[in-house]
C-alpha cells in the first residue's frame, strides 16, 4: 500500500512542502529524473532491498597504470583498484556503487569507463566536469553520458579557471545540459559550503529541472560555534529546492569523533527532517575510508548513527540504497 501511495504521488507530480520534524517515518518523495509512469511496483520494491554506495572512487593499480596512466602529480598513495573494491563490497554486503571519477586520472575517464563496461550491472558512473573555457568540456561530458553511460556529473569548483565561478558561461551550459540529459550534478564543497552556496542557489533557481546532489554533507561538520551553525542551517534551507539531494557520505571527513562517528547523529536527524530520507544517501568514500576505519565498518557506522536517533527502518532503507537507486536507474 505504501508503494502504491508513493507511485500515485509521483504520477500526480506533487512536491509536498510541509516540513517533517524529527525522524520522519514518511519521507517526502524525491524530485524525479525519470517519468513516473516508467517506475513499476516491482522496481520500487527491488530498490528498497539494495545497498548502494553512492560515493566512492577507483583508480588503476600500479600494474594497470601502464595502460591507464595517472595524471601527473596525482599518483595515488592508497590501493584503489576495482578488484580491491569488489572484495570490500562483498565483505560488507554492498550490492552496487556509484563510481566518482578520481582526481588521480583527472579528465581521463578511460579507467573508470573500463570498469563500468566490465561490470555493467554492478556500477554506475559519475564523470568529472571539465570547465575549461575552450568549451571542450561540454562535448566531453555529452560523450561520456551518451556513449559511455555515465549517470552523474561532478562539479569541482576548484577546477574552474582562477577567478571564475561555476555560474560562468561554461558552468551554466553544462548544468543546463545535465538537466536536459537527466543527469544529476553533484557538488564538492571541500573548502566550505558558505563559499559556494550562492552559486548553487543560482543554478538551482535558473535551471530547476537539473537534479543536484551535495557530496559529504556539503562538508558541514557538527557545529561548534554560531558561524558553523549558520552554515548548517543554510544547508537545511536548501531543502526548499525539491530537486536537491544530500549525500551522508565520507563520515570520517565530517565527524569530529572516531568511528562510529556518533556526533553525526543530530546532523542526520535534521537532514531527514528537512529533506526527507528519500533525498539522502549513504556513501563510503572508498578507498579513503579503508585506512580510517575499514570499508565494512564505515558502512556499519550508519546503523549506529541511525539507532542513536531512532531512525525508522524505512528511512534507513532510503538512505542505504533506495534513494540512489531510484535516482540512477
Amino acid at each position: 500500500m505504501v508503494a502504491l501511495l508513493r507511485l500515485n504521488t509521483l504520477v500526480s507530480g506533487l512536491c509536498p512542502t510541509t516540513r517533517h520534524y524529527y525522524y520522519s517515518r514518511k519521507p517526502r518523495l524525491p524530485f524525479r529524473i525519470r517519468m513516473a509512469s516508467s517506475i513499476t511496483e516491482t522496481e520500487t520494491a527491488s530498490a528498497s532491498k539494495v545497498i548502494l554506495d553512492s560515493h566512492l572512487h577507483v583508480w588503476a593499480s600500479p600494474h594497470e597504470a601502464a595502460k591507464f596512466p595517472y595524471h601527473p602529480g596525482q599518483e595515488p598513495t592508497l590501493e584503489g583498484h576495482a578488484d580491491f573494491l569488489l572484495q570490500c563490497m562483498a565483505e560488507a554486503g554492498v550490492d552496487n556503487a556509484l563510481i566518482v571519477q578520481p582526481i588521480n586520472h583527472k579528465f581521463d575517464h578511460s579507467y573508470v569507463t573500463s570498469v563500468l563496461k566490465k561490470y555493467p550491472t554492478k556500477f554506475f558512473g559519475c564523470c568529472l566536469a571539465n570547465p575549461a573555457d575552450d568549451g571542450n568540456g561540454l562535448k566531453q561530458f555529452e560523450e561520456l553520458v551518451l556513449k559511455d553511460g555515465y549517470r552523474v556529473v561532478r562539479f569541482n569548483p576548484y577546477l574552474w579557471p582562477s577567478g571564475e565561478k561555476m555560474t560562468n558561461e561554461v558552468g551554466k551550459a553544462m548544468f543546463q545540459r545535465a538537466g536536459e540529459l537527466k543527469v544529476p550534478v553533484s557538488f564538492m564543497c571541500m573548502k566550505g559550503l558558505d563559499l559556494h552556496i550562492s552559486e548553487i542557489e543560482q543554478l538551482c533557481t535558473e535551471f530547476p529541472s537539473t537534479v543536484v546532489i551535495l557530496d559529504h554533507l556539503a562538508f558541514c561538520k557538527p557545529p561548534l560555534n554560531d558561524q558553523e551553525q549558520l552554515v548548517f542551517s543554510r544547508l537545511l534551507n536548501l531543502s526548499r529546492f525539491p530537486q536537491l539531494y544530500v549525500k551522508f557520505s565520507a563520515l570520517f571527513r565530517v565527524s569530529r569523533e572516531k568511528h562510529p562517528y556518533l556526533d553525526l547523529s543530530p546532523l542526520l536527524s535534521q537532514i531527514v527532517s528537512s529533506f526527507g530520507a528519500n533525498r539522502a544517501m549513504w556513501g563510503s568514500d572508498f578507498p579513503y575510508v579503508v585506512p580510517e576505519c575499514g570499508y565494512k565498518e564505515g558502512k556499519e557506522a550508519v546503523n549506529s548513527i541511525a539507532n542513536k536517533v531512532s531512525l525508522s527502518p524505512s528511512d534507513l532503507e532510503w538512505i542505504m540504497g533506495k534513494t540512489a537507486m531510484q535516482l540512477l536507474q
Side-chain angles (χ1 to χ4, degrees), residues 208-224:
S209 64
T210 302
V211 173
V212 169
I213 304 171
L214 299 181
D215 295 340
H216 311 333
L217 278 175
F219 286 86
C220 289
K221 293 189 175 186
L224 294 179

Side-chain angles (χ1 to χ4, degrees), residues 166-236:
M166 294 181 290
T167 49
N168 67 1
E169 184 178 352
V170 172
K172 285 187 177 182
M174 284 195 289
F175 192 87
Q176 181 177 19
R177 186 63 176 134
E180 294 167 352
L181 294 172
K182 307 209 181 297
V183 171
V185 175
S186 71
F187 288 94
M188 184 184 74
C189 305
M190 180 174 284
K191 296 181 181 180
L193 175 63
D194 53 326
L195 298 178
H196 311 292
I197 190 168
S198 62
E199 298 164 74
I200 294 170
E201 290 174 325
Q202 181 179 339
L203 290 169
C204 286
T205 300
E206 292 187 25
F207 308 101
S209 64
T210 302
V211 173
V212 169
I213 304 171
L214 299 181
D215 295 340
H216 311 333
L217 278 175
F219 286 86
C220 289
K221 293 189 175 186
L224 294 179
N225 54 52
D226 291 344
Q227 177 59 31
E228 291 178 351
Q229 182 60 57
L230 175 61
V231 174
F232 185 66
S233 296
R234 295 188 71 187
L235 167 60
L236 297 178

Side-chain angles (χ1 to χ4, degrees), residues 110-147:
S110 56
Y111 179 71
V112 172
T113 300
S114 72
V115 175
L116 298 177
K117 292 184 181 299
K118 187 174 182 179
Y119 304 100
T121 62
K122 194 76 172 175
F123 298 121
F124 302 92
C126 172
C127 59
L128 182 62
N130 180 354
D133 52 17
D134 59 11
N136 288 331
L138 178 59
K139 182 179 179 181
Q140 181 190 35
F141 163 56
E142 291 177 329
E143 184 172 311
L144 288 167
V145 172
L146 298 174
K147 178 184 175 183

Side-chain angles (χ1 to χ4, degrees), residues 1-14:
M1 179 61 72
V2 173
L4 287 172
L5 288 173
R6 286 173 178 157
L7 289 172
N8 288 337
T9 303
L10 287 172
V11 172
S12 69
L14 295 176

Side-chain angles (χ1 to χ4, degrees), residues 58-61 64-65 68-71 74 76 101-112 128:
V58 293
W59 47 72
S61 67
E64 294 170 318
F68 304 105
Y70 308 122
H71 187 76
Q74 296 290 347
Q101 171 71 8
I103 197 64
N104 310 85
H105 293 291
K106 206 168 183 181
F107 301 124
D108 179 358
H109 290 70
S110 56
Y111 179 71
V112 172
L128 182 62

